[in-house]
Amino acid sequence: MWNVIICDGDEPEREQLMGFVRQYFEEKKKEAQVTGCMDWPELEGMVKQSLPDVVIVAQNSVDGLNTITSARLLSRKIIWFSDLDFGVQAYRLCVPYFSTKPVTYQKMEQALTRFFEVSPWLGKT
């Protein structure tokens, strides 16, 4: 089972993203546990309890950048969406996928598909 955490301080947006991720895994006929959190301290606590396979950070502006830099040990497991273009920073931090908001199902599908293509070390099928 895949363990996915979505970090987004905007609760309605977080719920929508969780729905997109669940839909993606259902279409792929794979099981996933999808949970959400608001910020880095909450994400850090969740990561200590169980190491996620994928972390999706969808925080706006500098909040997202701060979460990404705080989560450096997870950098290769992160998909990052932001209202600002942090593409260069994402590249420097080895984040496998970055895109700007708004997040549609198509963007989420593309992000997850690309993530799994560049992360063969995950080893799950």
Side-chain angles (χ1 to χ4, degrees), residues 3-6 33-52:
N3 181 8
V4 182
I5 299 174
I6 298 174
Q33 176 183 353
V34 183
T35 54
C37 66
M38 290 187 59
D39 53 23
W40 166 244
E42 194 176 353
L43 174 61
E44 183 180 32
M46 293 173 85
V47 168
K48 286 180 179 178
Q49 289 179 357
S50 70
L51 192 60

PDB file of all heavy atoms in Angstrom, residues 3-6 33-52:
ATOM      1  N   ASN A   3       1.787   5.092   0.767  1.00  0.00           N
ATOM      2  CA  ASN A   3       1.533   6.062   1.828  1.00  0.00           C
ATOM      3  C   ASN A   3       1.811   7.455   1.266  1.00  0.00           C
ATOM      4  O   ASN A   3       2.955   7.776   0.944  1.00  0.00           O
ATOM      5  CB  ASN A   3       2.433   5.759   3.032  1.00  0.00           C
ATOM      6  CG  ASN A   3       2.193   6.711   4.189  1.00  0.00           C
ATOM      7  OD1 ASN A   3       1.278   7.511   4.185  1.00  0.00           O
ATOM      8  ND2 ASN A   3       3.057   6.620   5.188  1.00  0.00           N
ATOM      9  N   VAL A   4       0.763   8.267   1.136  1.00  0.00           N
ATOM     10  CA  VAL A   4       0.869   9.601   0.543  1.00  0.00           C
ATOM     11  C   VAL A   4       0.409  10.638   1.560  1.00  0.00           C
ATOM     12  O   VAL A   4      -0.655  10.497   2.160  1.00  0.00           O
ATOM     13  CB  VAL A   4      -0.003   9.717  -0.733  1.00  0.00           C
ATOM     14  CG1 VAL A   4       0.147  11.096  -1.360  1.00  0.00           C
ATOM     15  CG2 VAL A   4       0.337   8.622  -1.738  1.00  0.00           C
ATOM     16  N   ILE A   5       1.212  11.681   1.739  1.00  0.00           N
ATOM     17  CA  ILE A   5       0.853  12.784   2.619  1.00  0.00           C
ATOM     18  C   ILE A   5       0.761  14.053   1.775  1.00  0.00           C
ATOM     19  O   ILE A   5       1.657  14.344   0.979  1.00  0.00           O
ATOM     20  CB  ILE A   5       1.884  12.997   3.745  1.00  0.00           C
ATOM     21  CG1 ILE A   5       1.980  11.752   4.630  1.00  0.00           C
ATOM     22  CG2 ILE A   5       1.516  14.221   4.591  1.00  0.00           C
ATOM     23  CD1 ILE A   5       3.083  11.812   5.680  1.00  0.00           C
ATOM     24  N   ILE A   6      -0.313  14.807   1.981  1.00  0.00           N
ATOM     25  CA  ILE A   6      -0.492  16.075   1.288  1.00  0.00           C
ATOM     26  C   ILE A   6      -0.421  17.191   2.314  1.00  0.00           C
ATOM     27  O   ILE A   6      -1.199  17.221   3.266  1.00  0.00           O
ATOM     28  CB  ILE A   6      -1.830  16.110   0.536  1.00  0.00           C
ATOM     29  CG1 ILE A   6      -1.831  15.012  -0.526  1.00  0.00           C
ATOM     30  CG2 ILE A   6      -2.058  17.493  -0.090  1.00  0.00           C
ATOM     31  CD1 ILE A   6      -3.131  14.832  -1.249  1.00  0.00           C
ATOM     32  N   GLN A  33      -2.953   4.934   1.054  1.00  0.00           N
ATOM     33  CA  GLN A  33      -3.430   5.635   2.240  1.00  0.00           C
ATOM     34  C   GLN A  33      -3.046   7.094   2.025  1.00  0.00           C
ATOM     35  O   GLN A  33      -1.860   7.417   1.896  1.00  0.00           O
ATOM     36  CB  GLN A  33      -2.771   5.096   3.500  1.00  0.00           C
ATOM     37  CG  GLN A  33      -3.162   5.867   4.736  1.00  0.00           C
ATOM     38  CD  GLN A  33      -2.446   5.372   5.976  1.00  0.00           C
ATOM     39  OE1 GLN A  33      -1.751   4.361   5.956  1.00  0.00           O
ATOM     40  NE2 GLN A  33      -2.604   6.099   7.061  1.00  0.00           N
ATOM     41  N   VAL A  34      -4.038   7.967   1.959  1.00  0.00           N
ATOM     42  CA  VAL A  34      -3.804   9.389   1.688  1.00  0.00           C
ATOM     43  C   VAL A  34      -4.223  10.189   2.913  1.00  0.00           C
ATOM     44  O   VAL A  34      -5.373  10.129   3.338  1.00  0.00           O
ATOM     45  CB  VAL A  34      -4.604   9.850   0.445  1.00  0.00           C
ATOM     46  CG1 VAL A  34      -4.295  11.307   0.135  1.00  0.00           C
ATOM     47  CG2 VAL A  34      -4.306   8.960  -0.762  1.00  0.00           C
ATOM     48  N   THR A  35      -3.267  10.919   3.486  1.00  0.00           N
ATOM     49  CA  THR A  35      -3.551  11.751   4.649  1.00  0.00           C
ATOM     50  C   THR A  35      -3.097  13.179   4.365  1.00  0.00           C
ATOM     51  O   THR A  35      -2.313  13.416   3.455  1.00  0.00           O
ATOM     52  CB  THR A  35      -2.846  11.221   5.910  1.00  0.00           C
ATOM     53  OG1 THR A  35      -1.454  11.088   5.643  1.00  0.00           O
ATOM     54  CG2 THR A  35      -3.402   9.882   6.344  1.00  0.00           C
ATOM     55  N   GLY A  36      -3.583  14.098   5.163  1.00  0.00           N
ATOM     56  CA  GLY A  36      -3.247  15.493   4.960  1.00  0.00           C
ATOM     57  C   GLY A  36      -2.731  16.156   6.216  1.00  0.00           C
ATOM     58  O   GLY A  36      -2.989  15.696   7.328  1.00  0.00           O
ATOM     59  N   CYS A  37      -1.991  17.247   6.012  1.00  0.00           N
ATOM     60  CA  CYS A  37      -1.507  18.062   7.115  1.00  0.00           C
ATOM     61  C   CYS A  37      -1.447  19.513   6.664  1.00  0.00           C
ATOM     62  O   CYS A  37      -1.544  19.804   5.471  1.00  0.00           O
ATOM     63  CB  CYS A  37      -0.153  17.574   7.610  1.00  0.00           C
ATOM     64  SG  CYS A  37       1.178  17.755   6.421  1.00  0.00           S
ATOM     65  N   MET A  38      -1.272  20.410   7.631  1.00  0.00           N
ATOM     66  CA  MET A  38      -1.320  21.847   7.333  1.00  0.00           C
ATOM     67  C   MET A  38       0.040  22.480   7.084  1.00  0.00           C
ATOM     68  O   MET A  38       0.162  23.399   6.300  1.00  0.00           O
ATOM     69  CB  MET A  38      -1.991  22.589   8.483  1.00  0.00           C
ATOM     70  CG  MET A  38      -3.460  22.314   8.597  1.00  0.00           C
ATOM     71  SD  MET A  38      -4.240  23.353   9.842  1.00  0.00           S
ATOM     72  CE  MET A  38      -3.874  24.975   9.213  1.00  0.00           C
ATOM     73  N   ASP A  39       1.086  22.011   7.792  1.00  0.00           N
ATOM     74  CA  ASP A  39       2.359  22.722   7.739  1.00  0.00           C
ATOM     75  C   ASP A  39       3.516  21.783   8.087  1.00  0.00           C
ATOM     76  O   ASP A  39       3.318  20.603   8.361  1.00  0.00           O
ATOM     77  CB  ASP A  39       2.339  23.915   8.689  1.00  0.00           C
ATOM     78  CG  ASP A  39       1.938  23.537  10.109  1.00  0.00           C
ATOM     79  OD1 ASP A  39       2.080  22.358  10.503  1.00  0.00           O
ATOM     80  OD2 ASP A  39       1.468  24.426  10.850  1.00  0.00           O
ATOM     81  N   TRP A  40       4.738  22.335   8.073  1.00  0.00           N
ATOM     82  CA  TRP A  40       5.927  21.526   8.310  1.00  0.00           C
ATOM     83  C   TRP A  40       5.920  20.844   9.681  1.00  0.00           C
ATOM     84  O   TRP A  40       6.217  19.640   9.748  1.00  0.00           O
ATOM     85  CB  TRP A  40       7.208  22.347   8.127  1.00  0.00           C
ATOM     86  CG  TRP A  40       8.411  21.645   8.677  1.00  0.00           C
ATOM     87  CD1 TRP A  40       9.199  22.048   9.706  1.00  0.00           C
ATOM     88  CD2 TRP A  40       8.931  20.372   8.256  1.00  0.00           C
ATOM     89  NE1 TRP A  40      10.175  21.111   9.958  1.00  0.00           N
ATOM     90  CE2 TRP A  40      10.041  20.073   9.072  1.00  0.00           C
ATOM     91  CE3 TRP A  40       8.571  19.457   7.284  1.00  0.00           C
ATOM     92  CZ2 TRP A  40      10.793  18.915   8.941  1.00  0.00           C
ATOM     93  CZ3 TRP A  40       9.317  18.292   7.151  1.00  0.00           C
ATOM     94  CH2 TRP A  40      10.421  18.028   7.962  1.00  0.00           C
ATOM     95  N   PRO A  41       5.611  21.515  10.794  1.00  0.00           N
ATOM     96  CA  PRO A  41       5.633  20.792  12.074  1.00  0.00           C
ATOM     97  C   PRO A  41       4.703  19.574  12.073  1.00  0.00           C
ATOM     98  O   PRO A  41       5.068  18.511  12.579  1.00  0.00           O
ATOM     99  CB  PRO A  41       5.179  21.847  13.092  1.00  0.00           C
ATOM    100  CG  PRO A  41       5.576  23.151  12.480  1.00  0.00           C
ATOM    101  CD  PRO A  41       5.368  22.960  10.995  1.00  0.00           C
ATOM    102  N   GLU A  42       3.518  19.720  11.493  1.00  0.00           N
ATOM    103  CA  GLU A  42       2.593  18.592  11.427  1.00  0.00           C
ATOM    104  C   GLU A  42       3.129  17.500  10.493  1.00  0.00           C
ATOM    105  O   GLU A  42       3.064  16.315  10.809  1.00  0.00           O
ATOM    106  CB  GLU A  42       1.217  19.080  10.954  1.00  0.00           C
ATOM    107  CG  GLU A  42       0.117  18.071  11.158  1.00  0.00           C
ATOM    108  CD  GLU A  42      -1.256  18.612  10.779  1.00  0.00           C
ATOM    109  OE1 GLU A  42      -1.410  19.807  10.470  1.00  0.00           O
ATOM    110  OE2 GLU A  42      -2.188  17.794  10.794  1.00  0.00           O
ATOM    111  N   LEU A  43       3.693  17.908   9.363  1.00  0.00           N
ATOM    112  CA  LEU A  43       4.282  16.945   8.423  1.00  0.00           C
ATOM    113  C   LEU A  43       5.434  16.187   9.070  1.00  0.00           C
ATOM    114  O   LEU A  43       5.534  14.965   8.959  1.00  0.00           O
ATOM    115  CB  LEU A  43       4.766  17.666   7.162  1.00  0.00           C
ATOM    116  CG  LEU A  43       5.530  16.816   6.136  1.00  0.00           C
ATOM    117  CD1 LEU A  43       4.669  15.682   5.603  1.00  0.00           C
ATOM    118  CD2 LEU A  43       6.024  17.701   4.987  1.00  0.00           C
ATOM    119  N   GLU A  44       6.274  16.909   9.786  1.00  0.00           N
ATOM    120  CA  GLU A  44       7.416  16.282  10.457  1.00  0.00           C
ATOM    121  C   GLU A  44       6.950  15.196  11.430  1.00  0.00           C
ATOM    122  O   GLU A  44       7.513  14.101  11.475  1.00  0.00           O
ATOM    123  CB  GLU A  44       8.246  17.334  11.191  1.00  0.00           C
ATOM    124  CG  GLU A  44       9.484  16.775  11.846  1.00  0.00           C
ATOM    125  CD  GLU A  44      10.296  17.845  12.562  1.00  0.00           C
ATOM    126  OE1 GLU A  44       9.701  18.825  13.083  1.00  0.00           O
ATOM    127  OE2 GLU A  44      11.528  17.685  12.608  1.00  0.00           O
ATOM    128  N   GLY A  45       5.896  15.488  12.188  1.00  0.00           N
ATOM    129  CA  GLY A  45       5.358  14.495  13.118  1.00  0.00           C
ATOM    130  C   GLY A  45       4.827  13.270  12.398  1.00  0.00           C
ATOM    131  O   GLY A  45       5.038  12.139  12.840  1.00  0.00           O
ATOM    132  N   MET A  46       4.155  13.484  11.271  1.00  0.00           N
ATOM    133  CA  MET A  46       3.604  12.368  10.501  1.00  0.00           C
ATOM    134  C   MET A  46       4.719  11.511   9.902  1.00  0.00           C
ATOM    135  O   MET A  46       4.632  10.289   9.872  1.00  0.00           O
ATOM    136  CB  MET A  46       2.679  12.887   9.401  1.00  0.00           C
ATOM    137  CG  MET A  46       1.416  13.549   9.937  1.00  0.00           C
ATOM    138  SD  MET A  46       0.446  14.331   8.646  1.00  0.00           S
ATOM    139  CE  MET A  46      -0.501  12.918   8.080  1.00  0.00           C
ATOM    140  N   VAL A  47       5.776  12.162   9.428  1.00  0.00           N
ATOM    141  CA  VAL A  47       6.898  11.450   8.814  1.00  0.00           C
ATOM    142  C   VAL A  47       7.618  10.592   9.850  1.00  0.00           C
ATOM    143  O   VAL A  47       8.050   9.479   9.557  1.00  0.00           O
ATOM    144  CB  VAL A  47       7.869  12.440   8.134  1.00  0.00           C
ATOM    145  CG1 VAL A  47       9.176  11.778   7.759  1.00  0.00           C
ATOM    146  CG2 VAL A  47       7.203  13.064   6.910  1.00  0.00           C
ATOM    147  N   LYS A  48       7.713  11.090  11.073  1.00  0.00           N
ATOM    148  CA  LYS A  48       8.368  10.318  12.135  1.00  0.00           C
ATOM    149  C   LYS A  48       7.577   9.064  12.482  1.00  0.00           C
ATOM    150  O   LYS A  48       8.146   8.063  12.889  1.00  0.00           O
ATOM    151  CB  LYS A  48       8.565  11.184  13.376  1.00  0.00           C
ATOM    152  CG  LYS A  48       9.672  12.195  13.200  1.00  0.00           C
ATOM    153  CD  LYS A  48       9.851  13.041  14.435  1.00  0.00           C
ATOM    154  CE  LYS A  48      10.979  14.030  14.253  1.00  0.00           C
ATOM    155  NZ  LYS A  48      11.167  14.903  15.406  1.00  0.00           N
ATOM    156  N   GLN A  49       6.236   9.106  12.316  1.00  0.00           N
ATOM    157  CA  GLN A  49       5.403   7.946  12.617  1.00  0.00           C
ATOM    158  C   GLN A  49       5.491   6.884  11.524  1.00  0.00           C
ATOM    159  O   GLN A  49       5.549   5.694  11.813  1.00  0.00           O
ATOM    160  CB  GLN A  49       3.951   8.365  12.816  1.00  0.00           C
ATOM    161  CG  GLN A  49       3.739   9.126  14.095  1.00  0.00           C
ATOM    162  CD  GLN A  49       2.294   9.563  14.254  1.00  0.00           C
ATOM    163  OE1 GLN A  49       1.459   9.351  13.396  1.00  0.00           O
ATOM    164  NE2 GLN A  49       2.000  10.187  15.382  1.00  0.00           N
ATOM    165  N   SER A  50       5.457   7.317  10.276  1.00  0.00           N
ATOM    166  CA  SER A  50       5.595   6.365   9.173  1.00  0.00           C
ATOM    167  C   SER A  50       6.125   7.092   7.957  1.00  0.00           C
ATOM    168  O   SER A  50       5.556   8.099   7.525  1.00  0.00           O
ATOM    169  CB  SER A  50       4.254   5.708   8.842  1.00  0.00           C
ATOM    170  OG  SER A  50       3.382   6.627   8.247  1.00  0.00           O
ATOM    171  N   LEU A  51       7.224   6.620   7.435  1.00  0.00           N
ATOM    172  CA  LEU A  51       7.871   7.263   6.307  1.00  0.00           C
ATOM    173  C   LEU A  51       6.992   7.154   5.064  1.00  0.00           C
ATOM    174  O   LEU A  51       6.667   6.051   4.624  1.00  0.00           O
ATOM    175  CB  LEU A  51       9.238   6.627   6.048  1.00  0.00           C
ATOM    176  CG  LEU A  51      10.145   7.385   5.093  1.00  0.00           C
ATOM    177  CD1 LEU A  51      10.444   8.786   5.635  1.00  0.00           C
ATOM    178  CD2 LEU A  51      11.434   6.632   4.888  1.00  0.00           C
ATOM    179  N   PRO A  52       6.576   8.283   4.489  1.00  0.00           N
ATOM    180  CA  PRO A  52       5.701   8.238   3.316  1.00  0.00           C
ATOM    181  C   PRO A  52       6.456   7.870   2.046  1.00  0.00           C
ATOM    182  O   PRO A  52       7.669   8.056   1.952  1.00  0.00           O
ATOM    183  CB  PRO A  52       5.181   9.677   3.229  1.00  0.00           C
ATOM    184  CG  PRO A  52       6.270  10.500   3.832  1.00  0.00           C
ATOM    185  CD  PRO A  52       6.859   9.643   4.921  1.00  0.00           C
TER     186      PRO A  52
END
